Amino acid sequence: MKSHQVRQSFIDYFKKQNHAAIASSSLIPEDDPTLLFANAGMNQFKNTFLGLEKRNYSRAVTSQKCVRAGGKHNDLENVGFTARHHTFFEMLGNFSFGDYFKKDAIHFAWEYLTKDLGLDKNKLYVTVFETDDDAADIWHKQEGVPRERIFRFGEKDNFWRMGDTGPCGPCSEIFFDRGEQYGKEKDPFKSIASGEDRIIEIWNLVFMQFFEKAPGQLEPLPKPSVDTGAGLERVVSVVQNQLNNYDTDLFAPMIQTAMKVSGKEYVNNRDLLMKNASLAEQTAAFRVLADHCRASGFLIADGAMPANEGRGYVLRRIMRRAIRYGRKLSDKSLLVPMVDSLVGHMGDVYPELKSRRDFILSTVKDEETRFLQTLDTGAEILENEIRNLKAKNLKKMPGEITFKMYDTYGFPVDLTRLIANEKNIEVDESEFDTYLNEAKTKSKASWKGKSLDSDQAHLIQWSNEIGQKGSKTVFKGYETLSDDVNVIALSNGHRAVDKLNTGDSGFVILNLTPFYAESGGQIGDQGILEASGVKINVVNTTKSSDMFLHEIFVEKGTLSTGVALKATVDTKARKLTASNHSATHLMHAALRKILGETVTQAGSLVDAQKLRFDYTFNRPLAPEEISKIEDMVNDQIYRGDVVSTHQMNYKKALEFGALALFGEKYGDDVRVLKMGDFSCELCGGTHVSNTAEIRLFKIVSETGVSSGVRRIEALTNKNALDYLNKIQKESQMAKASASLFEKWDSYLESTQFELPTWIEARKNEIKDLEKQIRKLKSGAVDIESTIAAAQTTEKSVPFVAQIFPIDDREALADIADKLKNKLQKGIVIVIGKEQNSFPVIVSVSKDLANQVKAGDVVKFLAQKYGGKGGGRPDFAQGSMTQEPTLDELNRTLKTQF
């Protein structure tokens, strides 16, 4: 039975049991700030289990994309070296939302495994929670499982909790026995307890029958639910009788591609691998690549991009580990063709892979190119470190160096150890572990989504409690900007209260509201709540599930629960925000028409002042491309097309031609926004009713955000008009100033008293204009690409040097500052071009300023290439009369510093 048949048979079986087949959610969680990636089938149903979201079905079945790339259960370094560790996997699951419970859940699981998949009952064991007699009896009496094949375990293994409080309950797991020859333990109970490869878990049934109000305080739920999870990779390995998940057809196409490109053989004979360490290492490299190409392809398809923090950093670590292991097999690129093989293998099941194929492959290629440059640089740095140790007669490499090689240059400890040992240098691995653990702690702290502060947690819990009582805020803001409302609940931001007085700040939940809550990149509305003797300023509006949270300041009077109010949105701000949001849709469509349909939205921010749009593209836009985009958008504005909205189900919306954004969460029914024949997207935001209302569109900046992601900032409506008027005025003043200086003598005589004041004002305006020009010049530099070319001196000092066709020293200094912030530790040398000289800026990170002084670098360059200069230890500037080539400059800096 093929893997795709197993996946489909699971879904088909539960459809026959009246389950709604629900598509996998994105790997990037939409409404759960506590999650880095989707890591379980129940993630997309979390609010349904909590009673905060109602669906039009009470039974569901899914095959959910999941990523786990860290933590106690899935250390990244284990992936490829064990039979069942993966970063990306699919979780088969069936769910009951207050519908069936233990009897049906157990029956469904047993029937599917033993009848539909035909697994031998005599090879199956089940576990239950130590006090769950009910589940044990159902397994024995209903399904006929012998008592001796039912084992009881404690809370650690067989009791599930959603968190410190909330739904929880016992679970029952199903295990498959591969045979005594595959384990050390003969006793099945001990084999399961040890976690060895002989008896493996293939399905977990969670019975949500309690609500934990506080640790240890369990109350029975009125409508118990079921959440189950069966790892597809494990189930397929059992069905296909493979001891290792990597030997199933889920991984075979990618491994075959790697074999073809590398010319190496993939060996999976267990006995051979145990006897031959080098062969085992080669097989592990194939498996690392096979796993990581899946995680890389699916994460990029769902909107993740390689970066230096958060989700992007996890993706970058996965990709770079794959590239590193690919080098063990071949000097040729392996990750790119393997990801392409993944698209062909799984694109029919997950169409987002096919639709974004070109972008996925270009992103992988770009990251591979960058990292290979980093690897080469790292090897050189390591050699320098070893030379320095030997010069000091030291035989042990400090853990700090080993960690730097691991964290900055992607060198695994074993590679650093191998190179060091060849030079008779020992690696201090215990000190390395200390640095690694510190970094992991910092990484957890830097992931902002990992935890909420106490006030945020209060607001979520408070709104959840209101929602559980059956209340929800009805949004009326599409139809009106003013409405009569009632106060349902109040909070001072720390706890629920009955009233707020003059001068107090807090939050209010209303029965209905015209205020749009921050969502989809559009900021929340502001405005006023009023009643007799009461005036409340609404400073922001957000949303938690179906509850709208209005952040307020009481300007006058007392606000109490149950009070009737008049709610009025700030009309001017809403209209300008709508103008910017609609222009964002037009610009997105224009980008795709001009640059290609691989361009997709990667983030946005829309408010009353401007629009900011992040999009996937791997190079800066040319000036003529920016002009084309502006012209195309303005043409649509001038056409005056009607902007229409349509409510329909998701599938029909896609057939209608609507563009769905990857990473966004959509319900069964969606809102389609259509702007003539030019743009059609799924969107819940507020918009103009006719494109002519946007009036004008002007791009003011286009910059890089991270590898493969660009950012456009633009203005519309009156803001765009004001901006152009300002530019025109400054241009006219500059021309007038120039004309004035040409006729200085005659003007001086006739306007002696007023002229100095007038000239000073003009100078200030020119300075402001020059600042804007400098900002545009420095913003045009691709910082990421420049940093990717960073090198190191013979004394192991990182540096980056670049020559730019810019004559503005302040712009060059700004570029140097950005490069230093990105490099973090090292020397930055930026050289410009003036008419008869070459300005030079040197910036040194403060931690290196005592070792290498910026002023010394400038003086050295001035002596070598003619000129002069100097400055502080961390910043210096000068001028040269000769222009060096970049290669010559890099060679010189390497040997000198």
Side-chain angles (χ1 to χ4, degrees):
M1 199 174 189
K2 300 293 186 183
S3 57
H4 70 89
Q5 294 171 317
V6 175
R7 184 192 298 107
Q8 193 58 48
S9 73
F10 183 88
I11 293 170
D12 289 344
Y13 172 83
F14 282 99
K15 284 170 71 176
K16 290 176 185 174
Q17 313 307 324
N18 299 313
H19 287 61
I22 307 301
S24 170
S25 66
S26 169
L27 285 167
I28 312 300
E30 169 67 15
D31 293 325
D32 193 341
T34 65
L35 275 181
L36 192 64
F37 299 114
N39 61 9
M42 62 80 61
N43 290 159
Q44 67 169 309
F45 303 115
K46 183 177 178 180
N47 285 338
T48 309
F49 281 122
L50 287 170
L52 303 174
E53 179 183 356
K54 291 184 180 179
R55 304 201 177 212
N56 58 6
Y57 49 84
S58 59
R59 300 180 176 199
V61 59
T62 65
S63 179
Q64 172 65 44
K65 299 177 292 186
C66 298
V67 165
R68 294 179 188 172
K72 62 181 180 179
H73 298 301
N74 201 22
D75 191 326
L76 185 61
E77 296 304 318
N78 287 336
V79 176
F81 291 88
T82 67
R84 297 184 297 278
H85 274 106
H86 301 293
T87 53
F88 173 87
F89 60 96
E90 293 177 80
M91 187 66 80
L92 305 174
N94 59 289
F95 308 90
S96 164
F97 311 115
D99 190 322
Y100 61 84
F101 199 45
K102 291 181 183 178
K103 283 188 175 183
D104 284 336
I106 288 172
H107 173 69
F108 292 154
W110 193 252
E111 182 176 66
Y112 174 71
L113 290 176
T114 59
K115 292 186 178 179
D116 288 57
L117 293 186
L119 299 188
D120 185 349
K121 294 180 181 181
N122 295 319
K123 291 185 177 182
L124 296 175
Y125 291 91
V126 297
T127 65
V128 297
F129 182 53
E130 56 192 355
T131 62
D132 194 356
D133 296 332
D134 189 23
D137 286 343
I138 294 170
W139 278 115
H140 176 62
K141 296 177 181 178
Q142 176 179 286
E143 304 305 329
V145 179
R147 293 280 185 190
E148 61 269 21
R149 302 184 78 84
I150 302 171
F151 302 124
R152 294 175 185 254
F153 284 88
E155 279 202 25
K156 180 183 175 184
D157 298 296
N158 280 71
F159 197 91
W160 179 89
R161 287 179 170 84
M162 187 176 285
D164 293 336
T165 62
C168 61
C171 54
S172 181
E173 297 173 321
I174 305 171
F175 290 79
F176 183 85
D177 189 353
R178 295 186 183 279
E180 289 184 9
Q181 67 271 33
Y182 297 110
K184 296 178 181 178
E185 300 289 350
K186 301 301 180 186
D187 183 333
F189 177 84
K190 290 181 179 179
S191 179
I192 290 173
S194 71
E196 65 180 9
D197 285 344
R198 173 191 163 185
I199 303 179
I200 65 166
E201 175 202 336
I202 57 173
W203 207 336
N204 185 16
L205 316 178
V206 177
F207 307 125
M208 295 187 198
Q209 63 187 94
F210 301 111
F211 190 92
E212 192 161 21
K213 295 187 70 175
Q217 295 182 24
L218 304 181
E219 292 184 355
L221 287 170
K223 288 187 175 182
S225 297
V226 173
D227 159 27
T228 86
L232 177 65
E233 291 75 12
R234 294 187 179 212
V235 174
V236 171
S237 74
V238 169
V239 171
Q240 296 182 358
N241 195 27
Q242 297 292 344
L243 296 175
N244 194 299
N245 291 358
Y246 292 99
D247 296 335
T248 66
D249 69 342
L250 280 166
F251 297 89
M254 286 73 79
I255 289 176
Q256 288 165 4
T257 297
M259 288 170 59
K260 183 177 179 181
V261 175
S262 69
K264 300 279 177 65
E265 192 69 24
Y266 172 71
V267 178
N268 61 1
N269 184 294
R270 199 167 176 231
D271 294 331
L272 276 177
L273 296 177
M274 291 177 69
K275 295 174 184 176
N276 189 324
S278 63
L279 195 59
E281 186 177 345
Q282 179 173 300
T283 295
F286 276 109
R287 289 171 175 171
V288 167
L289 280 158
D291 173 274
H292 290 7
C293 78
R294 297 191 341 145
S296 301
F298 275 102
L299 281 170
I300 296 168
D302 277 355
M305 292 293 294
N308 289 327
E309 59 185 11
R311 295 184 177 107
Y313 180 62
V314 176
L315 172 59
R316 173 160 280 167
R317 282 187 64 208
I318 292 171
M319 294 177 72
R320 292 191 166 189
R321 185 169 184 260
I323 296 163
R324 201 176 69 219
Y325 274 91
R327 273 208 158 182
K328 293 177 182 285
L329 299 175
S330 174
D331 289 334
K332 297 176 182 177
S333 170
L334 291 178
L335 187 57
V336 175
M338 289 180 78
V339 171
D340 199 15
S341 177
L342 166 76
V343 174
H345 179 50
M346 299 188 75
D348 289 337
V349 181
Y350 296 103
E352 61 269 27
L353 290 172
K354 279 189 174 179
S355 64
R356 304 200 77 196
R357 174 184 174 274
D358 291 346
F359 177 72
I360 294 168
L361 296 181
S362 66
T363 301
V364 174
K365 181 63 178 174
D366 287 348
E367 184 64 16
E368 184 176 58
T369 301
R370 289 171 186 270
F371 183 52
L372 290 179
Q373 291 174 344
T374 304
L375 266 183
D376 292 337
T377 302
E380 186 180 336
I381 287 174
L382 184 57
E383 291 289 348
N384 288 334
E385 294 285 5
I386 290 172
R387 277 198 293 270
N388 291 338
L389 291 172
K390 292 178 84 67
K392 297 174 184 177
N393 291 318
L394 297 175
K395 298 291 185 181
K396 197 172 213 179
M397 181 177 290
E400 182 181 7
I401 295 174
T402 311
F403 177 71
K404 180 180 75 173
M405 299 308 304
Y406 170 83
D407 189 55
T408 306
Y409 300 102
F411 274 54
V413 181
D414 57 355
L415 179 57
T416 300
R417 186 197 309 117
L418 179 66
I419 296 172
N421 289 349
E422 288 174 352
K423 308 289 185 181
N424 297 314
I425 298 289
E426 183 185 350
V427 171
D428 189 337
E429 295 194 36
S430 62
E431 193 175 278
F432 164 79
D433 289 337
T434 301
Y435 279 98
L436 181 63
N437 290 331
E438 288 176 0
K440 286 180 177 178
T441 302
K442 290 178 183 176
S443 178
K444 287 179 182 177
S446 72
W447 167 238
K448 298 175 183 177
K450 282 289 182 184
S451 61
L452 303 169
D453 64 35
S454 57
D455 290 345
Q456 290 173 311
H458 153 69
L459 291 172
I460 291 174
Q461 184 176 359
W462 171 61
S463 60
N464 286 349
E465 288 172 355
I466 303 300
Q468 287 168 354
K469 294 176 183 177
S471 298
K472 83 179 226 182
T473 309
V474 178
F475 179 57
K476 307 286 284 185
Y478 291 139
E479 302 90 35
T480 181
L481 296 182
S482 182
D483 215 328
D484 296 320
V485 301
N486 291 309
V487 177
I488 293 177
L490 290 168
S491 167
N492 63 7
H494 313 294
R495 63 184 181 278
V497 295
D498 293 327
K499 64 181 181 179
L500 293 171
N501 298 314
T502 301
D504 287 345
S505 297
F507 294 83
V508 59
I509 294 176
L510 307 170
N511 63 323
L512 57 87
T513 183
F515 290 87
Y516 180 83
E518 182 178 331
S519 179
Q522 180 177 329
I523 66 161
D525 278 335
Q526 298 179 334
I528 300 292
L529 299 172
E530 290 180 295
S532 178
V534 179
K535 185 176 181 182
I536 315 293
N537 294 322
V538 177
V539 296
N540 193 20
T541 311
T542 56
K543 189 163 64 169
S544 177
S545 294
D546 289 329
M547 309 306 298
F548 283 55
L549 307 181
H550 304 78
E551 186 177 354
I552 59 171
F553 173 76
V554 182
E555 184 177 318
K556 183 176 72 173
T558 297
L559 181 63
S560 305
T561 55
V563 168
L565 299 165
K566 185 75 171 181
T568 306
V569 175
D570 182 331
T571 304
K572 181 181 178 182
R574 166 71 88 82
K575 287 184 176 179
L576 288 172
T577 302
S579 177
N580 285 332
H581 200 159
S582 296
T584 302
H585 282 236
L586 292 176
M587 183 177 70
H588 189 189
L591 282 166
R592 288 168 63 85
K593 292 178 191 302
I594 292 169
L595 304 179
E597 294 194 354
T598 57
V599 170
T600 55
Q601 180 173 329
S604 68
L605 175 65
V606 177
D607 58 26
Q609 283 72 45
K610 66 180 183 306
L611 67 91
R612 189 183 76 199
F613 187 80
D614 295 348
Y615 62 102
T616 55
F617 202 57
N618 56 10
R619 64 168 174 81
L621 294 186
E624 55 270 22
E625 289 174 321
I626 292 175
S627 295
K628 274 187 180 180
I629 293 164
E630 288 179 332
D631 290 345
M632 191 173 285
V633 172
N634 281 313
D635 183 58
Q636 295 304 312
I637 292 170
Y638 304 151
R639 285 171 61 91
D641 285 330
V642 171
V643 177
S644 58
T645 58
H646 312 269
Q647 290 290 143
M648 59 186 76
N649 67 50
Y650 181 74
K651 185 178 179 182
K652 187 177 179 183
L654 296 184
E655 293 171 353
F656 186 69
L659 178 66
L661 303 181
F662 288 103
E664 291 287 336
K665 180 182 176 183
Y666 299 108
D668 298 325
D669 289 320
V670 294
R671 184 170 181 257
V672 177
L673 187 91
K674 196 170 187 298
M675 308 176 79
D677 295 324
F678 190 76
S679 170
C680 187
E681 286 190 32
L682 304 185
C683 185
T686 63
H687 290 270
V688 298
S689 57
N690 188 293
T691 58
E693 294 172 29
I694 301 171
R695 296 178 64 191
L696 183 64
F697 171 81
K698 176 65 182 172
I699 293 174
V700 295
S701 72
E702 197 273 344
T703 57
V705 177
S706 61
S707 174
V709 178
R710 308 292 301 173
R711 171 173 292 172
I712 287 177
E713 292 192 359
L715 304 174
T716 69
N717 215 297
K718 188 177 185 300
N719 292 322
L721 189 61
D722 289 346
Y723 173 81
L724 292 176
N725 284 338
K726 182 184 176 186
I727 294 296
Q728 184 182 30
K729 183 179 178 183
E730 288 169 345
S731 176
Q732 289 172 344
M733 286 182 173
K735 289 178 182 177
S737 297
S739 174
L740 180 66
F741 286 120
E742 287 173 6
K743 302 175 181 178
W744 173 260
D745 290 337
S746 60
Y747 274 116
L748 189 61
E749 291 179 7
S750 60
T751 56
Q752 272 187 345
F753 180 73
E754 297 177 347
L755 186 58
T757 303
W758 189 90
I759 290 177
E760 190 62 34
R762 300 295 76 75
K763 284 181 178 178
N764 290 334
E765 289 170 352
I766 292 169
K767 283 181 182 178
D768 288 340
L769 189 58
E770 286 172 342
K771 284 181 181 178
Q772 291 184 44
I773 293 170
R774 280 194 293 274
K775 185 178 178 182
L776 289 172
K777 285 180 178 178
S778 63
V781 173
D782 191 336
I783 300 297
E784 290 284 342
S785 297
T786 307
I787 287 295
Q791 300 188 42
T792 183
T793 70
E794 290 182 355
K795 296 178 182 178
S796 301
V797 178
F799 76 90
V800 61
Q802 190 56 267
I803 302 170
F804 299 100
I806 296 174
D807 60 0
D808 190 309
R809 287 180 178 271
E810 288 191 37
L812 291 169
D814 184 48
I815 293 168
D817 191 47
K818 288 178 180 177
L819 288 170
K820 184 175 73 172
N821 290 338
K822 200 72 176 176
L823 187 64
Q824 295 185 344
K825 182 178 182 179
I827 308 169
V828 172
I829 302 96
V830 173
I831 296 173
K833 293 184 180 181
E834 292 180 343
Q835 188 171 356
N836 297 311
S837 64
F838 302 91
V840 58
I841 305 288
V842 176
S843 185
V844 178
S845 58
K846 289 187 178 179
D847 54 350
L848 285 176
N850 290 330
Q851 181 180 345
V852 181
K853 292 180 171 56
D856 292 344
V857 178
V858 168
K859 288 175 182 176
F860 168 77
L861 293 173
Q863 289 171 0
K864 185 171 179 63
Y865 299 106
K868 59 183 179 179
R872 305 189 309 267
D874 63 333
F875 181 86
Q877 56 182 317
S879 182
M880 304 184 303
T881 57
Q882 302 171 45
E883 180 185 12
T885 67
L886 188 57
D887 287 343
E888 178 190 7
L889 181 64
N890 283 327
R891 285 196 302 272
T892 301
L893 293 167
K894 271 189 179 185
T895 57
Q896 187 65 28
F897 298 99

